[in-house]
Amino acid sequence: MKFGIDAGGTLIKIVKEENGERAFSKYLSTEVEKVAELLKEYPDAEVALTGGKATYLQSLIPQNAFQSIEFDATFKGIQTFLQQLNHPLENYIFTNVGTGTSIHHVKGEVQVRAGGTGAGGGMIQGLGFLLTGEADYETLTALAAQGDRDDIDLKVKHIYKGDKTPIPGELTAANFGRVLHTKDTVQYTAADKLAAAIGVVGETVTTVSIHAAREFGAEYVVYIGSSFLHNELLQKVVMNYTVLRGFKPFFIENGEYSGALGTLRLM
Ligand code: ADP
């Protein structure tokens, strides 16, 4: 039996392989001791770790685990998924929207980190809590799905008021920039505020990604990370914004397990 484990800032992602079968599971990073207890039940298992909490997890488990650098592991995992999906890409950007967001360029077998942004899943949770007092992840994202950010965000078309716009009118000119224009007539619900928070994260992540895509002449942006889980709104914002800006988004099912799968493949 083999375990590939990506112990990240918010979630621990586990890929278990046995007799050619692959199983995925995840725990909160605050439950690292629970993961260690699980591994103690399989002292003979081969274990591959990656992620910021890998060394701490190693200190809790009986196996002498293989460890890899998280960016290398994630790249290996993405390549494995793309191969299995029969969607090989030669020159692309991948954007990992985890607690924070990390952006990478891939050409052939070479991966380099192209940048990142502090806007990501952690910001959705933190800003979401500040705006609404809601700390439960799934409650937060379910609520956001019912929200409407039209009265909160200022679009290019709002500024041009029917005049011809030099860039697409649907582009956001200023996230949260419409609030002072609408505040006297609109009641913003918790759902609306959360939708706007997800909007700013999605658009920031996309903007930084497509700048990298343009710089490296890449057509595709591959998006992974647990921030897209139970969060169709974020998926929608990122997908639509990537297309609107002229690039091709690609979401990998179970892509949040790329680091865990990749460290296993590198072992
Ligand atoms: P990391 O490796 O930094 O932990 P992930 O790719 O696992 O990153 O993404 C973490 C983000 O996933 C969180 O910030 C949150 O937005 C989102 N998320 C998805 N499911 C959950 C969950 N059950 N609990 C908490 N956060 C979750």
Side-chain angles (χ1 to χ4, degrees):
M1 183 180 310
K2 292 180 182 177
F3 289 97
I5 303 178
D6 175 6
T10 306
L11 297 171
I12 300 174
K13 280 75 62 183
I14 304 179
V15 173
K16 182 172 129 191
E17 282 187 346
E18 192 179 20
N19 306 325
E21 299 270 308
R22 194 183 284 162
F24 301 104
S25 59
K26 59 179 164 4
Y27 293 80
L28 290 172
S29 297
T30 48
E31 299 175 318
V32 60
E33 284 81 11
K34 212 160 138 183
V35 174
E37 289 310 309
L38 168 87
L39 289 170
K40 281 178 193 163
E41 290 174 28
Y42 306 95
D44 297 329
E46 288 180 73
V47 180
L49 303 175
T50 194
K53 292 195 161 62
T55 303
Y56 178 58
L57 179 57
Q58 171 65 83
S59 75
L60 304 176
I61 60 176
Q63 298 89 352
N64 185 12
F66 166 81
Q67 272 196 43
S68 64
I69 296 168
E70 119 177 55
F71 299 153
D72 297 337
T74 305
F75 173 43
K76 185 72 182 172
I78 289 177
Q79 296 285 73
T80 308
F81 277 129
L82 288 176
Q83 229 167 32
Q84 287 167 359
L85 289 167
N86 237 331
H87 200 284
L89 294 171
E90 191 36 44
N91 179 33
Y92 65 97
I93 297 297
F94 76 78
T95 298
N96 188 357
V97 191
T99 310
T101 298
S102 194
I103 296 164
H104 305 253
H105 172 238
V106 176
K107 185 148 197 190
E109 291 302 310
V110 181
Q111 171 270 135
V112 286
R113 187 168 189 272
T117 166
M123 180 170 165
I124 292 174
Q125 293 184 279
L127 182 59
F129 175 77
L130 288 178
L131 289 171
T132 67
E134 183 57 63
D136 179 70
Y137 177 75
E138 288 190 21
T139 309
L140 202 75
T141 50
L143 202 55
Q146 298 157 23
D148 183 345
R149 58 195 182 107
D150 274 3
D151 292 322
I152 296 180
D153 289 345
L154 190 71
K155 290 185 173 177
V156 170
K157 70 176 184 194
H158 293 136
I159 300 178
Y160 279 76
K161 281 207 162 64
D163 237 2
K164 196 170 173 297
T165 57
I167 50 175
E170 282 306 311
L171 282 173
T172 305
N175 294 88
F176 293 91
R178 209 169 179 219
V179 170
L180 295 191
H181 303 269
T182 56
K183 67 179 187 352
D184 298 329
T185 50
V186 173
Q187 286 286 335
Y188 315 101
T189 64
D192 297 342
K193 294 178 196 173
L194 290 172
I198 289 176
V200 70
V201 170
E203 290 173 5
T204 303
V205 161
T206 311
T207 301
V208 186
S209 302
I210 61 172
H211 283 178
R214 197 175 292 152
E215 182 183 340
F216 291 102
E219 186 185 13
Y220 274 94
V221 183
V222 174
Y223 292 101
I224 60 161
S226 310
S227 303
F228 294 109
L229 296 177
H230 308 284
N231 197 343
E232 258 178 59
L233 182 59
L234 184 69
Q235 286 177 38
K236 214 169 86 185
V237 170
V238 168
M239 192 163 74
N240 292 348
Y241 217 60
T242 306
V243 172
L244 186 69
R245 302 292 297 266
F247 293 86
K248 291 185 175 163
F250 191 81
F251 291 87
I252 297 179
E253 196 187 349
N254 294 319
E256 66 277 13
Y257 291 96
S258 295
L261 178 64
T263 193
L264 198 54
R265 285 289 95 84
L266 290 172
M267 180 162 62

